[in-house]
Amino acid sequence: MEIILIKALQFMLAISILVLLHEGGHFFFARLFGIRVEKFYLFFDPWFHLFEFKPKNSETTYGMGWLPLGGYCKIAGMIDESFDTDQMKQPMQPWEFRAKPAWQRLLVMVGGVLVNFLLALFIYSMLLFTWGDTYIPTKDMTHGMKFNSEAKELGFRDGDIVVGTENGEFKEYGMDMFRDLSEATRADIIRNGKAMSISLPGEINLLGMLKTEPKFMAPLTPAVTDSVIPGSAAAKAGMRKGDRIVAFNGKPIDSYNEFTDRIGRLMDVMVTAKTPADSMKVRRATIVTERAGRLDTADVVLSADLKLGFTIKHWAELYKPVTKKYGFFESFPAGVKYGCGILKGYVDDMKYVFSAEGAKSVGGFGTIANLFPATWNWYAFWEMTAFLSIILAFMNILPIPALDGGHVLFLLYEMITRRKPSENFMIKAEYLGFGILILLMVMANLNDILRWLHLM
C-alpha cells in the first residue's frame, strides 16, 4: 500500500506541475495580447470545485477542481471545452480572443505546448548538470545478451555483445537500442572476443521485439545466487551464496534468463492444474547446482507461486558504470539534444499505436503512475516529469479538435484562406474532439483494468 501511495503522490505532483505550466503558457500569451482570462483552474470542476479565489482588481478567478484529469484556462471569446456558447452570441469585445489577429491567437494556442517542450529540455539539462549522465556502455557488457528464437534465426547467439549498427555505436542497453536494431540492415557484435557483423532485414516489428516472452534480447545474467531466503526451498536444498544453477528438471541452465523462462512455462502449466495434487506435481522439481567445481543435485518443492527462494545480482550490478559530467553551460545543448532524441523516438513509435497489438499496449493513469519509482527519488521523479512533459506537448499539438493542435489547424486554415471557420462549425468540432478524447481515455484506462485483472 505504501508503494502505491508513493507512486500516486509522485504522479499527482508531476501532473500538477505540468498542467499548471501548460495552462500558464496559454495565460501568459493571452495576457500579453490583452485577452481576458476568466478562469484559471488546476483540475476540472464539473458541478463543484475544491476552492477558488479572485484577487482584488483581477479579471481572473483561480481555483482547483476535484477531477484530476488536467486543467483549463478559460479565455474570453473562445470556443473551448467549457462549451460556453452564450458568450459567443454576445457582441464581440476588443479584449476577447476572437477579436485578436490570427497570429496572436496562434501564439496563445501554442503557448501551452511551447512551455511543456521547453520545460522538458530545461529539466533534462538540469539533470545532466546536477547528476551527470551515468550509464553502462553496451560494449562493456561482457556477459553479452540472451536472445529469443526470433533473434537466433537472424544469426544472433547467446553471449553476443551487441555494439552497434550501420548507423553507429550503441550507447547503452535500452529503448534506443531496440529501435535502432528494428530498422537496421546490419548489427555489429563481438562474439568470443572477435568483432563481426550480422545482416538484418531492416524492418523488425519493434512492438514484437518488446512484448514477446522472452524478449528479442535481454542482458544475459548468470544464474549465480547472491543470497538465499531462510526457510525457502533453496535453503532446504542447501544452496548458498555463490552457487551456480546448472540444470533444472533435467535440462541444462545457461543463465538466470533461462531459469526464469523455465519457471514461466511452469506457471502456464500451473494455471491448468485442477486439483491440489496437480499443483503439487508442478511444484516438485529437481535442481542441480555447482559450487567450487562440485555438482550437487536436490529435489525441491517450489512455493505456491513457484519461487525457489534465492536472489541474484541485477545485471546492472555486474558492470561498472561510467559517468559523464557537464558544466552549467554545457548542460543546455546536451539537454536539448537528449530531449529532442526522446521526442523523436516517441513520435517514431506512434505508428505502432494504430495496430491491434499497439492499441492493447496503451495505458491510462495507472500505467503512467506505475512508471514512477517505488521509493521517492528526485532524479527519477524529474526524469519522468520531463518525459511526461514531452508527451503532453506532443499529444496536445495533434490536430484533433478540443486539443491545442485542433485550434492551431483551424487558425492556420484561417491565415492561409483569410476565412474564419463558422462558430457553429467550431462548436461541433469541439464536441467531436471532446468525444474522441473521452473514448481514448476510456480505452486506455480500461486496458489498465484488464491488465490488473490479468485478462490482457
Side-chain angles (χ1 to χ4, degrees):
M1 185 63 186
E2 181 182 354
I3 292 176
I4 295 175
L5 180 61
I6 291 173
K7 287 176 176 280
L9 287 174
Q10 291 180 91
F11 172 64
M12 292 300 295
L13 177 59
I15 289 299
S16 298
I17 292 171
L18 297 180
V19 168
L20 279 174
L21 292 177
H22 177 90
E23 299 302 334
H26 295 309
F27 183 91
F28 171 78
F29 281 105
R31 298 305 300 134
L32 180 67
F33 299 131
I35 302 171
R36 183 174 296 176
V37 178
E38 298 174 348
K39 294 178 76 173
F40 187 92
Y41 256 68
L42 173 64
F43 305 150
F44 295 125
D45 60 331
W47 305 296
F48 68 94
H49 53 261
L50 298 181
F51 71 84
E52 71 174 18
F53 66 96
K54 187 174 185 180
K56 187 176 181 181
N57 300 323
S58 173
E59 300 168 337
T60 307
T61 299
Y62 302 88
M64 177 181 284
W66 61 271
L67 189 60
L69 301 182
Y72 68 96
C73 178
K74 189 175 186 308
I75 297 173
M78 175 183 167
I79 298 171
D80 58 14
E81 61 271 17
S82 67
F83 299 110
D84 186 1
T85 56
D86 290 338
Q87 184 184 66
M88 304 303 292
K89 296 176 183 177
Q90 305 301 318
M92 186 167 60
Q93 302 298 325
W95 35 260
E96 287 186 330
F97 178 82
R98 55 181 169 168
K100 301 299 179 179
W103 69 270
Q104 292 185 5
R105 285 179 280 137
L106 181 65
L107 286 175
V108 172
M109 294 317 307
V110 301
V113 168
L114 181 64
V115 166
N116 278 134
F117 185 60
L118 293 178
L119 173 66
L121 300 183
F122 177 75
I123 292 175
Y124 283 132
S125 299
M126 291 301 95
L127 286 174
L128 292 173
F129 171 66
T130 306
W131 283 281
D133 186 12
T134 300
Y135 61 96
I136 297 170
T138 53
K139 61 183 177 61
D140 293 345
M141 296 173 66
T142 52
H143 290 288
M145 295 287 166
K146 178 73 173 178
F147 299 92
N148 67 9
S149 57
E150 179 191 1
K152 289 178 179 177
E153 287 176 2
L154 294 172
F156 291 102
R157 296 292 178 266
D158 291 339
D160 286 350
I161 303 171
V162 188
V163 294
T165 67
E166 71 270 19
N167 295 318
E169 187 176 285
F170 291 138
K171 175 187 173 186
E172 61 185 324
Y173 174 79
M175 189 63 189
D176 286 341
M177 187 176 179
F178 280 92
R179 192 178 289 116
D180 288 350
L181 282 172
S182 72
E183 301 172 349
T185 58
R186 187 192 82 222
D188 299 325
I189 66 169
I190 299 174
R191 178 180 296 169
N192 298 323
K194 181 181 179 181
M196 57 185 298
S197 297
I198 294 173
S199 295
L200 297 178
E203 48 182 20
I204 305 173
N205 184 280
L206 177 61
L207 203 59
M209 295 174 74
L210 298 169
K211 289 183 71 66
T212 52
E213 289 295 337
K215 285 184 181 179
F216 184 87
M217 66 177 178
L220 193 150
T221 307
V224 177
T225 60
D226 186 53
S227 66
V228 176
I229 300 171
S232 66
K236 292 174 182 177
M239 287 178 62
R240 286 190 254 163
K241 180 176 180 177
D243 287 357
R244 179 187 296 271
I245 300 173
V246 296
F248 182 73
N249 281 346
K251 295 183 179 180
I253 293 290
D254 63 5
S255 62
Y256 184 69
N257 312 64
E258 180 73 18
F259 178 77
T260 56
D261 184 41
R262 297 279 179 81
I263 293 296
R265 295 178 197 175
L266 286 182
M267 286 181 175
D268 293 338
V269 177
M270 181 69 91
V271 172
T272 64
K274 297 180 180 178
T275 66
D278 293 337
S279 298
M280 184 56 68
K281 186 176 179 181
V282 176
R283 291 171 59 190
R284 292 188 185 280
T286 301
I287 188 165
V288 181
T289 57
E290 179 188 16
R291 182 188 306 157
R294 184 175 64 86
L295 298 179
D296 184 40
T297 302
D299 293 324
V300 297
V301 178
L302 304 176
S303 65
D305 56 352
L306 300 183
K307 294 289 191 296
L308 182 56
F310 72 99
T311 65
I312 64 161
K313 284 187 176 180
H314 187 270
W315 67 265
E317 298 177 84
L318 303 174
Y319 308 107
K320 184 179 179 180
V322 299
T323 299
K324 183 176 181 180
K325 293 291 187 179
Y326 291 88
F328 182 74
F329 294 107
E330 289 177 310
S331 67
F332 287 99
V336 169
K337 181 180 178 181
Y338 186 83
C340 289
I342 293 290
L343 176 61
K344 180 181 181 301
Y346 184 76
V347 173
D348 288 345
D349 296 344
M350 279 298 292
K351 60 178 177 286
Y352 294 102
V353 174
F354 301 101
S355 66
E357 200 60 36
K360 291 179 182 178
S361 67
V362 173
F365 299 117
T367 295
I368 298 173
N370 207 41
L371 294 174
F372 286 91
T375 57
W376 200 286
N377 180 302
W378 281 113
Y379 177 86
F381 170 79
W382 286 115
E383 185 179 43
M384 192 63 216
T385 301
F387 179 61
L388 292 178
S389 193
I390 280 184
I391 291 177
L392 187 61
F394 175 73
M395 296 301 291
N396 262 285
I397 205 62
L398 291 176
I400 299 175
L403 291 178
D404 297 341
H407 291 281
V408 168
L409 179 66
F410 296 136
L411 280 166
L412 290 176
Y413 167 82
E414 178 185 339
M415 294 171 75
I416 294 171
T417 65
R418 306 290 183 180
R419 294 168 50 196
K420 268 189 179 183
S422 71
E423 290 181 1
N424 184 50
F425 171 82
M426 293 294 290
I427 291 170
K428 289 181 178 178
E430 195 76 14
Y431 274 113
L432 175 63
F434 199 73
I436 292 172
L437 294 180
I438 292 296
L439 286 174
L440 290 174
M441 193 177 298
V442 169
M443 181 192 76
N445 287 284
L446 180 60
N447 283 350
D448 281 354
I449 294 171
L450 292 176
R451 277 190 285 267
W452 181 66
L453 294 174
H454 302 292
L455 297 176
M456 180 182 287

